[in-house]
Amino acid sequence: MLAKRIIPCLDVKDGATVKGVNFVNFRQAGDPVELGAQYSREGADELVYLDITASHEGRKTFTELVKKVAAEISIPFTVGGGINEIQDVDRLLNAGADKVSINSAALRNPGLIDEIARNFGSQVCVVAIDGNFEDDVWRCYLNGGRVPTDRQLLEWAKEAESRGAGEILFTSMTHDGVKEGYPNEALAQLADELHIPIIASGGAGNREHIKDAFLKGKADAALAASVFHFGEIKIGELKEYLKNEGISVRL
């Protein structure tokens, strides 16, 4: 069995790491470079850095921050936010990122997925999906959860895979920051219907929630933010717990 991955997520706003609840009400959580280096030392498998207001404000992701992170950490990291064209991907990979995460731009222009996969390989392209459960369907949202679309989670994830996405990062807006567990039913459906890794995001409040994302949600990786940023879960202790629960992790 492939080892399950633990991925701290650092939402960056105005140069600081922040964390919100249901995509709003943000509070500061520390310096993104220092936090990333700390997680790298503690045994995180990967990191994700999201410039959370880039798409909304029409800016480019901080290239300088990516360079600083690359200089300080020794594990793979993904960068997202404000990536709209192939030149953005090239710039971020040259700055030291290992993968890019695209969300709003992919929904607006699905061909961007094909282009990234063709130019850099599928392993570079993470398609992030922000979904909200409403009227009995998972609806996809644009611009950091601000704008609803008529796309639904499963059909959009399947299209993203067919176009060359290497991974799907699914964040439940319904569960984000409320610490009551991941949307395991939706995750399991994605895992069953797709052939690429699924990263669970939105809802971690304790170690059991992360265990459930792997066992019930069949996720390949679990992404979390506040429980790591504010010291509620230590990565080393989490991995020991998961190993004792029979889940394959890298120690």
Side-chain angles (χ1 to χ4, degrees), residues 74-115:
S74 55
I75 56 176
F77 71 101
T78 300
V79 179
I83 296 168
N84 297 303
E85 54 191 10
I86 206 77
Q87 289 85 348
D88 296 328
V89 181
D90 194 45
R91 173 170 51 82
L92 292 164
L93 295 178
N94 283 330
D98 297 277
K99 309 176 197 177
V100 295
S101 168
I102 55 172
N103 187 336
S104 301
L107 276 163
R108 290 195 179 98
N109 172 23
L112 182 60
I113 302 170
D114 306 72
E115 212 177 341

Side-chain angles (χ1 to χ4, degrees), residues 206-219:
N206 57 43
R207 301 180 307 181
E208 289 74 20
H209 292 154
I210 294 172
K211 175 189 77 173
D212 287 345
F214 293 137
L215 296 182
K216 295 178 183 175
K218 306 181 185 179

Side-chain angles (χ1 to χ4, degrees), residues 4-8 39 42-45 182 204-214 221-225 227-228 231-251:
K4 302 292 189 180
R5 290 170 287 151
I6 301 299
I7 307 178
Y39 294 144
E42 289 178 359
D45 297 294
Y182 293 90
N206 57 43
R207 301 180 307 181
E208 289 74 20
H209 292 154
I210 294 172
K211 175 189 77 173
D212 287 345
F214 293 137
L223 180 144
V227 289
F228 295 141
E232 294 160 48
I233 296 178
K234 300 288 187 192
I235 292 169
E237 293 171 7
L238 170 63
K239 286 192 159 187
E240 284 290 348
Y241 163 78
L242 293 171
K243 183 189 170 198
N244 292 335
E245 293 289 327
I247 295 166
S248 175
V249 290
R250 293 186 195 88
L251 295 174

Side-chain angles (χ1 to χ4, degrees), residues 33-107:
V33 181
E34 288 173 15
L35 267 178
Q38 176 189 322
Y39 294 144
S40 180
R41 291 191 299 271
E42 289 178 359
D45 297 294
E46 297 180 22
L47 298 173
V48 170
Y49 283 88
L50 298 177
D51 187 346
I52 60 169
T53 54
S55 293
H56 177 57
E57 296 170 4
R59 290 183 294 102
K60 301 298 185 190
T61 307
F62 291 139
T63 311
E64 290 307 312
L65 177 67
V66 175
K67 289 178 181 173
K68 289 175 186 170
V69 171
E72 292 292 329
I73 71 167
S74 55
I75 56 176
F77 71 101
T78 300
V79 179
I83 296 168
N84 297 303
E85 54 191 10
I86 206 77
Q87 289 85 348
D88 296 328
V89 181
D90 194 45
R91 173 170 51 82
L92 292 164
L93 295 178
N94 283 330
D98 297 277
K99 309 176 197 177
V100 295
S101 168
I102 55 172
N103 187 336
S104 301
L107 276 163

